Amino acid sequence: MDNDGDDEFEFDPKVLHARLVVEEIKLEGNERAVADYILGAFEDVKEGRTLQEIIQLTDLATQVLHEDDVFEKVDVALQPGSSSSSVIMKVSVEEKSMFTGGVFPITVDGEDVLEVQAGIRNVFGRAESLALSAGWPYPQRLTFIKPHPIGLDLNITSSLFHRRDNFDTTSSFTQSIKGATAAIELYNGHSLGFYVGNRSLTINDKTASDRMFAEVRESMKASIKYTFIDDQIDDHFAPSEGRYRRLTTEYAGLFGHAHFLKTEFKQHNHFPLSERLVLSLGVQSGLVQPLSMDRFAPVPVRISDRFFLGGPFSLRGFNKRGAGPCDLREPSDPAAGRDFVGGNAYLTMSTQISYIPQIEAFESTGTRLFAFGNAGNLFDLPRGNVDPVSGVKHVLSTSRASVGVGISVPLFGIARADLLYAWILRRAATDDIQQLQFGFTFGV
């Protein structure tokens, strides 16, 4: 906070706790931003009763305005008031450009996405934003964000989207989804989202399995999802310290064809062992339970809502979506290939040691060498009464595992590229193995 103005206002550090109030707040420099939106952020400053309290409340107010991504600068100056125990606060702002654009790594519906985005900032003068984006796996998305509506400490985000996924190589189908989302996002990591989407599956291979042909139909999903994210990692693309946790619970069945309860948990911890050596531990799990019945039997969860396993950022050494339950495309001819159909439960665990060599090219870019071990399983929960001990033994006995080495390269603060080689320790005969893997990730 600056102390300048027409008359210089000086104070001695000894008077930080002396009684002092803000009698008036003046604003200058705003062009498109509405005055009461800016002054509203400083409303609590008037509750300060000492210079120290005023400074602290002012810092909080300017932080909120900067987080809204509307202003290039927010400067605050104190000037003498009408009495020795009052001051006039002068707020000077400089707004950012109306137009926004760039390439951004973000999380959409629990997925890490890299988007090319163009939009308008501060649409109605109260920090609203409107953006059109294209990327993967959301080719088209129109998003409107309203920060802290009616002064509440939250954001409201709404989107219209169209995405298309190609799973021809692993499951013989492509999927097109058109829909809308809306979410209430609190600043402490909690959010509550609403989703409506129409899913259309297309089979492009006549040799696809019977299970895939049975899935070929449009389906509507309407769901509500709770998400909690605890992100304390120092660097998402070259982490050395901290933890990341994400918990999601989704109920589908508000209307439409999908009826299930789905929960997923993810946690990564990073521990610096030395200046160059980092230990990383991770665990991830998920469970989806069908809620609709057909003649007293649960209706299976559709393939669009099931879990899949495998890939350089999932279960290393196995092809993407290439581990777990599958159906033969031609029962009489195993050589015809198979379609992976996913599972309704999974669990993975991983450990990694990464090291930055004392080489200029590695140090300047944050590139690391790493050794890893991971294990996991994807399965369907058995129906009926099953002995829990037997169930756990079965899951452990059919788990997959691999170890390996690799190199990890951060890319311009928006992504990370990993190249690795894995040795398979345990596998199922039907798994799709990929020992040499290369991939990009846009999130934790």
Side-chain angles (χ1 to χ4, degrees), residues 25-73:
I25 302 178
K26 296 181 178 180
L27 173 66
E28 65 177 20
N30 58 309
E31 298 175 0
R32 290 177 294 108
V34 179
D36 62 358
Y37 149 63
I38 303 172
L39 295 177
F42 289 90
E43 191 64 30
D44 289 344
V45 175
K46 294 182 178 179
E47 302 299 322
R49 290 297 176 262
T50 66
L51 181 58
Q52 185 178 45
E53 290 180 2
I54 292 172
I55 293 174
Q56 291 172 342
L57 293 171
T58 299
D59 287 342
L60 290 175
T62 56
Q63 179 182 344
V64 168
L65 291 178
H66 280 301
E67 289 174 351
D68 288 343
D69 194 35
V70 172
F71 303 102
E72 198 72 49
K73 293 181 181 179

Tab-separated table of all heavy atoms in Angstrom, residues 25-73:
chain	number	residue	atom	x	y	z
A	25	ILE	N	-13.543	6.585	0.556
A	25	ILE	CA	-12.722	5.881	-0.433
A	25	ILE	C	-13.001	6.495	-1.794
A	25	ILE	O	-14.151	6.538	-2.254
A	25	ILE	CB	-13.023	4.370	-0.449
A	25	ILE	CG1	-12.782	3.740	0.923
A	25	ILE	CG2	-12.168	3.664	-1.497
A	25	ILE	CD1	-13.117	2.267	0.990
A	26	LYS	N	-11.954	7.002	-2.432
A	26	LYS	CA	-12.077	7.598	-3.762
A	26	LYS	C	-11.473	6.654	-4.800
A	26	LYS	O	-10.500	5.959	-4.525
A	26	LYS	CB	-11.353	8.944	-3.808
A	26	LYS	CG	-11.955	9.996	-2.887
A	26	LYS	CD	-11.195	11.315	-3.010
A	26	LYS	CE	-11.812	12.404	-2.128
A	26	LYS	NZ	-11.077	13.692	-2.250
A	27	LEU	N	-12.058	6.658	-5.993
A	27	LEU	CA	-11.635	5.745	-7.055
A	27	LEU	C	-11.311	6.525	-8.317
A	27	LEU	O	-12.017	7.470	-8.680
A	27	LEU	CB	-12.752	4.731	-7.340
A	27	LEU	CG	-12.552	3.801	-8.540
A	27	LEU	CD1	-11.376	2.865	-8.306
A	27	LEU	CD2	-13.837	3.002	-8.798
A	28	GLU	N	-10.239	6.103	-8.998
A	28	GLU	CA	-9.909	6.691	-10.283
A	28	GLU	C	-9.269	5.635	-11.179
A	28	GLU	O	-8.723	4.640	-10.699
A	28	GLU	CB	-8.949	7.878	-10.118
A	28	GLU	CG	-7.579	7.501	-9.583
A	28	GLU	CD	-6.641	8.697	-9.500
A	28	GLU	OE1	-7.138	9.831	-9.495
A	28	GLU	OE2	-5.410	8.479	-9.442
A	29	GLY	N	-9.380	5.824	-12.481
A	29	GLY	CA	-8.722	4.960	-13.453
A	29	GLY	C	-9.597	3.889	-14.060
A	29	GLY	O	-9.219	3.270	-15.063
A	30	ASN	N	-10.766	3.633	-13.488
A	30	ASN	CA	-11.622	2.575	-14.045
A	30	ASN	C	-12.283	3.049	-15.333
A	30	ASN	O	-12.737	4.198	-15.432
A	30	ASN	CB	-12.669	2.130	-13.036
A	30	ASN	CG	-13.566	3.251	-12.556
A	30	ASN	OD1	-13.088	4.306	-12.134
A	30	ASN	ND2	-14.881	3.032	-12.631
A	31	GLU	N	-12.327	2.153	-16.319
A	31	GLU	CA	-12.935	2.465	-17.602
A	31	GLU	C	-14.181	1.598	-17.834
A	31	GLU	O	-15.290	2.096	-17.877
A	31	GLU	CB	-11.918	2.265	-18.725
A	31	GLU	CG	-10.702	3.185	-18.601
A	31	GLU	CD	-9.645	2.889	-19.639
A	31	GLU	OE1	-9.864	1.966	-20.460
A	31	GLU	OE2	-8.590	3.556	-19.631
A	32	ARG	N	-13.985	0.296	-17.962
A	32	ARG	CA	-15.118	-0.610	-18.137
A	32	ARG	C	-15.593	-1.194	-16.806
A	32	ARG	O	-16.739	-1.602	-16.690
A	32	ARG	CB	-14.737	-1.736	-19.098
A	32	ARG	CG	-14.566	-1.275	-20.550
A	32	ARG	CD	-14.121	-2.400	-21.465
A	32	ARG	NE	-12.775	-2.855	-21.131
A	32	ARG	CZ	-12.471	-4.002	-20.544
A	32	ARG	NH1	-13.451	-4.821	-20.186
A	32	ARG	NH2	-11.228	-4.327	-20.281
A	33	ALA	N	-14.706	-1.295	-15.844
A	33	ALA	CA	-15.065	-1.863	-14.545
A	33	ALA	C	-16.019	-0.939	-13.798
A	33	ALA	O	-15.789	0.274	-13.697
A	33	ALA	CB	-13.803	-2.097	-13.715
A	34	VAL	N	-17.105	-1.490	-13.281
A	34	VAL	CA	-18.106	-0.717	-12.558
A	34	VAL	C	-17.542	-0.298	-11.201
A	34	VAL	O	-16.886	-1.082	-10.518
A	34	VAL	CB	-19.390	-1.556	-12.363
A	34	VAL	CG1	-20.435	-0.779	-11.581
A	34	VAL	CG2	-19.938	-1.978	-13.723
A	35	ALA	N	-17.821	0.950	-10.818
A	35	ALA	CA	-17.235	1.500	-9.591
A	35	ALA	C	-17.626	0.699	-8.353
A	35	ALA	O	-16.789	0.401	-7.503
A	35	ALA	CB	-17.642	2.962	-9.436
A	36	ASP	N	-18.915	0.323	-8.240
A	36	ASP	CA	-19.323	-0.359	-7.008
A	36	ASP	C	-18.736	-1.760	-6.892
A	36	ASP	O	-18.622	-2.310	-5.807
A	36	ASP	CB	-20.843	-0.387	-6.865
A	36	ASP	CG	-21.530	-1.141	-7.990
A	36	ASP	OD1	-20.845	-1.621	-8.903
A	36	ASP	OD2	-22.769	-1.248	-7.949
A	37	TYR	N	-18.343	-2.368	-8.040
A	37	TYR	CA	-17.640	-3.658	-7.994
A	37	TYR	C	-16.265	-3.476	-7.347
A	37	TYR	O	-15.854	-4.256	-6.487
A	37	TYR	CB	-17.515	-4.244	-9.405
A	37	TYR	CG	-16.288	-5.094	-9.637
A	37	TYR	CD1	-16.090	-6.274	-8.928
A	37	TYR	CD2	-15.326	-4.702	-10.571
A	37	TYR	CE1	-14.954	-7.048	-9.142
A	37	TYR	CE2	-14.204	-5.465	-10.794
A	37	TYR	CZ	-14.019	-6.630	-10.073
A	37	TYR	OH	-12.899	-7.383	-10.286
A	38	ILE	N	-15.547	-2.421	-7.740
A	38	ILE	CA	-14.213	-2.183	-7.174
A	38	ILE	C	-14.319	-1.747	-5.725
A	38	ILE	O	-13.635	-2.281	-4.837
A	38	ILE	CB	-13.464	-1.119	-8.004
A	38	ILE	CG1	-13.363	-1.554	-9.473
A	38	ILE	CG2	-12.080	-0.869	-7.421
A	38	ILE	CD1	-12.811	-0.497	-10.393
A	39	LEU	N	-15.180	-0.758	-5.471
A	39	LEU	CA	-15.304	-0.250	-4.102
A	39	LEU	C	-15.868	-1.303	-3.158
A	39	LEU	O	-15.568	-1.294	-1.958
A	39	LEU	CB	-16.200	0.993	-4.106
A	39	LEU	CG	-15.641	2.202	-4.878
A	39	LEU	CD1	-16.652	3.342	-4.885
A	39	LEU	CD2	-14.318	2.656	-4.278
A	40	GLY	N	-16.664	-2.220	-3.706
A	40	GLY	CA	-17.202	-3.289	-2.875
A	40	GLY	C	-16.112	-4.169	-2.291
A	40	GLY	O	-16.255	-4.704	-1.177
A	41	ALA	N	-15.016	-4.330	-3.029
A	41	ALA	CA	-13.900	-5.127	-2.518
A	41	ALA	C	-13.239	-4.465	-1.321
A	41	ALA	O	-12.626	-5.140	-0.485
A	41	ALA	CB	-12.876	-5.352	-3.632
A	42	PHE	N	-13.367	-3.133	-1.224
A	42	PHE	CA	-12.741	-2.385	-0.125
A	42	PHE	C	-13.726	-2.061	0.991
A	42	PHE	O	-13.379	-1.322	1.921
A	42	PHE	CB	-12.138	-1.085	-0.660
A	42	PHE	CG	-10.917	-1.291	-1.514
A	42	PHE	CD1	-11.031	-1.458	-2.878
A	42	PHE	CD2	-9.651	-1.340	-0.938
A	42	PHE	CE1	-9.914	-1.644	-3.675
A	42	PHE	CE2	-8.532	-1.529	-1.716
A	42	PHE	CZ	-8.657	-1.700	-3.101
A	43	GLU	N	-14.929	-2.609	0.905
A	43	GLU	CA	-15.958	-2.261	1.882
A	43	GLU	C	-15.526	-2.628	3.305
A	43	GLU	O	-15.763	-1.885	4.260
A	43	GLU	CB	-17.269	-2.974	1.529
A	43	GLU	CG	-18.473	-2.486	2.308
A	43	GLU	CD	-18.813	-1.032	2.011
A	43	GLU	OE1	-18.554	-0.569	0.871
A	43	GLU	OE2	-19.331	-0.359	2.931
A	44	ASP	N	-14.860	-3.771	3.447
A	44	ASP	CA	-14.443	-4.205	4.791
A	44	ASP	C	-13.348	-3.322	5.371
A	44	ASP	O	-13.117	-3.327	6.588
A	44	ASP	CB	-13.965	-5.655	4.758
A	44	ASP	CG	-15.111	-6.638	4.557
A	44	ASP	OD1	-16.268	-6.229	4.755
A	44	ASP	OD2	-14.844	-7.801	4.188
A	45	VAL	N	-12.652	-2.584	4.492
A	45	VAL	CA	-11.579	-1.717	4.990
A	45	VAL	C	-12.137	-0.670	5.961
A	45	VAL	O	-11.463	-0.266	6.915
A	45	VAL	CB	-10.857	-1.033	3.810
A	45	VAL	CG1	-9.821	-0.025	4.320
A	45	VAL	CG2	-10.179	-2.077	2.925
A	46	LYS	N	-13.369	-0.265	5.753
A	46	LYS	CA	-13.985	0.739	6.628
A	46	LYS	C	-14.210	0.195	8.044
A	46	LYS	O	-14.481	0.970	8.962
A	46	LYS	CB	-15.312	1.208	6.042
A	46	LYS	CG	-15.150	1.982	4.734
A	46	LYS	CD	-16.492	2.466	4.217
A	46	LYS	CE	-16.332	3.275	2.942
A	46	LYS	NZ	-17.634	3.742	2.415
A	47	GLU	N	-14.130	-1.137	8.189
A	47	GLU	CA	-14.288	-1.729	9.518
A	47	GLU	C	-12.997	-1.660	10.329
A	47	GLU	O	-13.003	-1.929	11.534
A	47	GLU	CB	-14.728	-3.193	9.387
A	47	GLU	CG	-16.030	-3.388	8.616
A	47	GLU	CD	-17.198	-2.699	9.287
A	47	GLU	OE1	-17.258	-2.711	10.538
A	47	GLU	OE2	-18.055	-2.144	8.566
A	48	GLY	N	-11.884	-1.329	9.681
A	48	GLY	CA	-10.614	-1.214	10.396
A	48	GLY	C	-10.626	-0.062	11.390
A	48	GLY	O	-11.174	1.011	11.101
A	49	ARG	N	-10.015	-0.283	12.538
A	49	ARG	CA	-10.004	0.739	13.583
A	49	ARG	C	-8.595	1.177	13.955
A	49	ARG	O	-8.432	2.043	14.823
A	49	ARG	CB	-10.739	0.218	14.825
A	49	ARG	CG	-12.256	0.083	14.631
A	49	ARG	CD	-12.873	1.446	14.360
A	49	ARG	NE	-14.301	1.378	14.084
A	49	ARG	CZ	-14.821	1.387	12.879
A	49	ARG	NH1	-14.021	1.445	11.799
A	49	ARG	NH2	-16.132	1.353	12.701
A	50	THR	N	-7.586	0.577	13.323
A	50	THR	CA	-6.199	1.007	13.516
A	50	THR	C	-5.514	1.005	12.158
A	50	THR	O	-6.017	0.400	11.187
A	50	THR	CB	-5.437	0.073	14.474
A	50	THR	OG1	-5.298	-1.214	13.869
A	50	THR	CG2	-6.157	-0.045	15.818
A	51	LEU	N	-4.374	1.652	12.072
A	51	LEU	CA	-3.637	1.677	10.821
A	51	LEU	C	-3.240	0.264	10.394
A	51	LEU	O	-3.311	-0.078	9.208
A	51	LEU	CB	-2.400	2.572	10.973
A	51	LEU	CG	-1.534	2.716	9.723
A	51	LEU	CD1	-2.341	3.275	8.566
A	51	LEU	CD2	-0.314	3.589	10.015
A	52	GLN	N	-2.846	-0.540	11.353
A	52	GLN	CA	-2.459	-1.906	11.024
A	52	GLN	C	-3.631	-2.692	10.440
A	52	GLN	O	-3.477	-3.413	9.445
A	52	GLN	CB	-1.915	-2.616	12.259
A	52	GLN	CG	-1.375	-4.020	11.969
A	52	GLN	CD	-0.797	-4.674	13.196
A	52	GLN	OE1	-1.380	-4.644	14.269
A	52	GLN	NE2	0.370	-5.269	13.051
A	53	GLU	N	-4.815	-2.564	11.031
A	53	GLU	CA	-5.988	-3.263	10.510
A	53	GLU	C	-6.341	-2.768	9.116
A	53	GLU	O	-6.718	-3.544	8.236
A	53	GLU	CB	-7.168	-3.067	11.458
A	53	GLU	CG	-7.033	-3.803	12.783
A	53	GLU	CD	-8.234	-3.569	13.689
A	53	GLU	OE1	-9.182	-2.861	13.264
A	53	GLU	OE2	-8.228	-4.080	14.825
A	54	ILE	N	-6.236	-1.449	8.905
A	54	ILE	CA	-6.533	-0.886	7.589
A	54	ILE	C	-5.576	-1.452	6.530
A	54	ILE	O	-5.994	-1.817	5.427
A	54	ILE	CB	-6.455	0.650	7.635
A	54	ILE	CG1	-7.602	1.198	8.494
A	54	ILE	CG2	-6.504	1.243	6.229
A	54	ILE	CD1	-7.496	2.684	8.770
A	55	ILE	N	-4.305	-1.539	6.862
A	55	ILE	CA	-3.319	-2.088	5.924
A	55	ILE	C	-3.627	-3.543	5.603
A	55	ILE	O	-3.597	-3.966	4.435
A	55	ILE	CB	-1.899	-1.936	6.502
A	55	ILE	CG1	-1.505	-0.459	6.572
A	55	ILE	CG2	-0.890	-2.711	5.650
A	55	ILE	CD1	-0.181	-0.209	7.256
A	56	GLN	N	-3.936	-4.329	6.612
A	56	GLN	CA	-4.224	-5.748	6.401
A	56	GLN	C	-5.471	-5.941	5.549
A	56	GLN	O	-5.476	-6.755	4.614
A	56	GLN	CB	-4.386	-6.450	7.753
A	56	GLN	CG	-3.093	-6.552	8.554
A	56	GLN	CD	-3.324	-7.087	9.958
A	56	GLN	OE1	-4.445	-7.082	10.473
A	56	GLN	NE2	-2.244	-7.541	10.598
A	57	LEU	N	-6.530	-5.207	5.838
A	57	LEU	CA	-7.766	-5.331	5.068
A	57	LEU	C	-7.591	-4.829	3.636
A	57	LEU	O	-8.187	-5.362	2.699
A	57	LEU	CB	-8.892	-4.568	5.764
A	57	LEU	CG	-9.339	-5.145	7.114
A	57	LEU	CD1	-10.296	-4.180	7.814
A	57	LEU	CD2	-10.006	-6.505	6.910
A	58	THR	N	-6.759	-3.810	3.464
A	58	THR	CA	-6.477	-3.297	2.123
A	58	THR	C	-5.722	-4.324	1.297
A	58	THR	O	-6.004	-4.523	0.104
A	58	THR	CB	-5.676	-1.990	2.208
A	58	THR	OG1	-6.446	-1.014	2.913
A	58	THR	CG2	-5.340	-1.469	0.819
A	59	ASP	N	-4.759	-5.002	1.903
A	59	ASP	CA	-4.009	-6.044	1.194
A	59	ASP	C	-4.934	-7.170	0.732
A	59	ASP	O	-4.793	-7.688	-0.381
A	59	ASP	CB	-2.911	-6.611	2.093
A	59	ASP	CG	-1.757	-5.640	2.284
A	59	ASP	OD1	-1.649	-4.696	1.474
A	59	ASP	OD2	-0.974	-5.818	3.237
A	60	LEU	N	-5.892	-7.554	1.566
A	60	LEU	CA	-6.845	-8.588	1.187
A	60	LEU	C	-7.713	-8.131	0.021
A	60	LEU	O	-7.992	-8.902	-0.911
A	60	LEU	CB	-7.730	-8.954	2.380
A	60	LEU	CG	-7.058	-9.719	3.528
A	60	LEU	CD1	-8.038	-9.893	4.690
A	60	LEU	CD2	-6.574	-11.090	3.054
A	61	ALA	N	-8.154	-6.886	0.052
A	61	ALA	CA	-9.002	-6.358	-1.015
A	61	ALA	C	-8.271	-6.315	-2.350
A	61	ALA	O	-8.818	-6.713	-3.393
A	61	ALA	CB	-9.508	-4.968	-0.640
A	62	THR	N	-7.036	-5.845	-2.337
A	62	THR	CA	-6.266	-5.782	-3.589
A	62	THR	C	-5.958	-7.178	-4.109
A	62	THR	O	-5.925	-7.404	-5.318
A	62	THR	CB	-4.968	-4.991	-3.384
A	62	THR	OG1	-4.209	-5.578	-2.308
A	62	THR	CG2	-5.258	-3.542	-3.052
A	63	GLN	N	-5.759	-8.126	-3.205
A	63	GLN	CA	-5.509	-9.504	-3.627
A	63	GLN	C	-6.724	-10.066	-4.351
A	63	GLN	O	-6.596	-10.735	-5.386
A	63	GLN	CB	-5.169	-10.371	-2.414
A	63	GLN	CG	-4.905	-11.836	-2.765
A	63	GLN	CD	-4.608	-12.674	-1.538
A	63	GLN	OE1	-4.303	-12.171	-0.467
A	63	GLN	NE2	-4.707	-13.981	-1.687
A	64	VAL	N	-7.926	-9.815	-3.831
A	64	VAL	CA	-9.156	-10.284	-4.473
A	64	VAL	C	-9.292	-9.696	-5.871
A	64	VAL	O	-9.627	-10.394	-6.835
A	64	VAL	CB	-10.381	-9.925	-3.607
A	64	VAL	CG1	-11.673	-10.148	-4.387
A	64	VAL	CG2	-10.390	-10.748	-2.325
A	65	LEU	N	-9.017	-8.409	-6.020
A	65	LEU	CA	-9.142	-7.767	-7.329
A	65	LEU	C	-8.124	-8.324	-8.322
A	65	LEU	O	-8.432	-8.513	-9.499
A	65	LEU	CB	-8.982	-6.255	-7.183
A	65	LEU	CG	-10.125	-5.537	-6.458
A	65	LEU	CD1	-9.819	-4.046	-6.332
A	65	LEU	CD2	-11.453	-5.746	-7.185
A	66	HIS	N	-6.903	-8.581	-7.858
A	66	HIS	CA	-5.892	-9.142	-8.754
A	66	HIS	C	-6.277	-10.557	-9.191
A	66	HIS	O	-6.024	-10.948	-10.337
A	66	HIS	CB	-4.529	-9.154	-8.071
A	66	HIS	CG	-3.830	-7.826	-8.097
A	66	HIS	ND1	-3.520	-7.169	-9.276
A	66	HIS	CD2	-3.370	-7.029	-7.092
A	66	HIS	CE1	-2.909	-6.033	-9.005
A	66	HIS	NE2	-2.805	-5.917	-7.687
A	67	GLU	N	-6.882	-11.332	-8.296
A	67	GLU	CA	-7.292	-12.689	-8.643
A	67	GLU	C	-8.387	-12.705	-9.701
A	67	GLU	O	-8.528	-13.686	-10.433
A	67	GLU	CB	-7.762	-13.432	-7.385
A	67	GLU	CG	-6.640	-13.789	-6.425
A	67	GLU	CD	-7.145	-14.402	-5.132
A	67	GLU	OE1	-8.386	-14.384	-4.929
A	67	GLU	OE2	-6.326	-14.899	-4.341
A	68	ASP	N	-9.149	-11.629	-9.806
A	68	ASP	CA	-10.204	-11.551	-10.817
A	68	ASP	C	-9.657	-11.349	-12.227
A	68	ASP	O	-10.413	-11.429	-13.206
A	68	ASP	CB	-11.166	-10.400	-10.488
A	68	ASP	CG	-12.044	-10.720	-9.296
A	68	ASP	OD1	-12.143	-11.906	-8.931
A	68	ASP	OD2	-12.627	-9.780	-8.722
A	69	ASP	N	-8.353	-11.073	-12.350
A	69	ASP	CA	-7.680	-10.936	-13.646
A	69	ASP	C	-8.286	-9.827	-14.497
A	69	ASP	O	-8.435	-9.949	-15.719
A	69	ASP	CB	-7.728	-12.269	-14.405
A	69	ASP	CG	-6.761	-12.299	-15.579
A	69	ASP	OD1	-5.676	-11.712	-15.457
A	69	ASP	OD2	-7.097	-12.920	-16.615
A	70	VAL	N	-8.633	-8.728	-13.856
A	70	VAL	CA	-9.201	-7.582	-14.563
A	70	VAL	C	-8.217	-6.423	-14.619
A	70	VAL	O	-8.185	-5.672	-15.598
A	70	VAL	CB	-10.514	-7.124	-13.877
A	70	VAL	CG1	-11.025	-5.815	-14.479
A	70	VAL	CG2	-11.568	-8.211	-14.000
A	71	PHE	N	-7.369	-6.290	-13.598
A	71	PHE	CA	-6.537	-5.098	-13.462
A	71	PHE	C	-5.050	-5.404	-13.626
A	71	PHE	O	-4.551	-6.412	-13.126
A	71	PHE	CB	-6.772	-4.454	-12.091
A	71	PHE	CG	-8.211	-4.103	-11.845
A	71	PHE	CD1	-9.008	-4.899	-11.038
A	71	PHE	CD2	-8.769	-2.990	-12.446
A	71	PHE	CE1	-10.334	-4.589	-10.819
A	71	PHE	CE2	-10.098	-2.664	-12.241
A	71	PHE	CZ	-10.890	-3.465	-11.430
A	72	GLU	N	-4.399	-4.498	-14.334
A	72	GLU	CA	-2.940	-4.551	-14.446
A	72	GLU	C	-2.305	-4.064	-13.156
A	72	GLU	O	-1.311	-4.615	-12.685
A	72	GLU	CB	-2.487	-3.683	-15.618
A	72	GLU	CG	-1.086	-3.972	-16.104
A	72	GLU	CD	-1.000	-5.285	-16.843
A	72	GLU	OE1	-1.823	-5.536	-17.733
A	72	GLU	OE2	-0.099	-6.079	-16.494
A	73	LYS	N	-2.907	-3.014	-12.582
A	73	LYS	CA	-2.399	-2.444	-11.336
A	73	LYS	C	-3.564	-2.038	-10.436
A	73	LYS	O	-4.608	-1.595	-10.924
A	73	LYS	CB	-1.532	-1.202	-11.601
A	73	LYS	CG	-0.226	-1.469	-12.317
A	73	LYS	CD	0.550	-0.170	-12.508
A	73	LYS	CE	1.855	-0.391	-13.235
A	73	LYS	NZ	2.594	0.893	-13.433
